[in-house]
Amino acid sequence: MIQGSGRCHYHPDRAGLGVCVECRRVICRECTTQFEGINRCASCLDTRRKALEGPPPRQEWSVGHVVMALVGAALLWGGVVLAAHAVG
């Protein structure tokens, strides 16, 4: 892209320097970041970074999780007992 031929998507008062390869938005010099040798805007770079980090860490069981698991198990067991009495 020729410098000055467009306006930055994030800063409309600034001339565009290039185009983000991910979202194809015109971006200015301040918004352009090279990652893996390619220009990306901050939004697409953040998306790429999150994808490379992988899934969030697994949370530990809290008291609420344990209580809900026990309530669920008790309801399931109660259903099994009721079904057994209904059959027998």
Side-chain angles (χ1 to χ4, degrees):
M1 168 176 273
I2 301 170
Q3 187 172 354
S5 65
R7 309 308 289 168
C8 177
H9 175 78
Y10 299 100
H11 304 104
D13 58 322
R14 298 181 188 170
L17 176 68
V19 176
C20 173
V21 297
E22 300 283 333
C23 65
R24 310 303 295 166
R25 293 181 179 141
V26 176
I27 47 181
C28 66
R29 181 182 307 274
E30 188 176 312
C31 293
T32 302
T33 302
Q34 279 206 352
F35 179 69
E36 298 173 340
I38 302 172
N39 290 335
R40 289 186 173 85
C41 68
S43 176
C44 291
L45 187 62
D46 189 48
T47 301
R48 172 73 81 171
R49 180 186 56 81
K50 287 178 182 174
L52 291 174
E53 285 179 353
R58 191 170 176 178
Q59 294 182 351
E60 296 295 323
W61 281 64
S62 68
V63 173
H65 291 117
V66 172
V67 169
M68 289 303 292
L70 291 174
V71 167
L75 289 173
L76 183 62
W77 179 253
V80 169
V81 170
L82 282 175
H85 285 305
V87 173

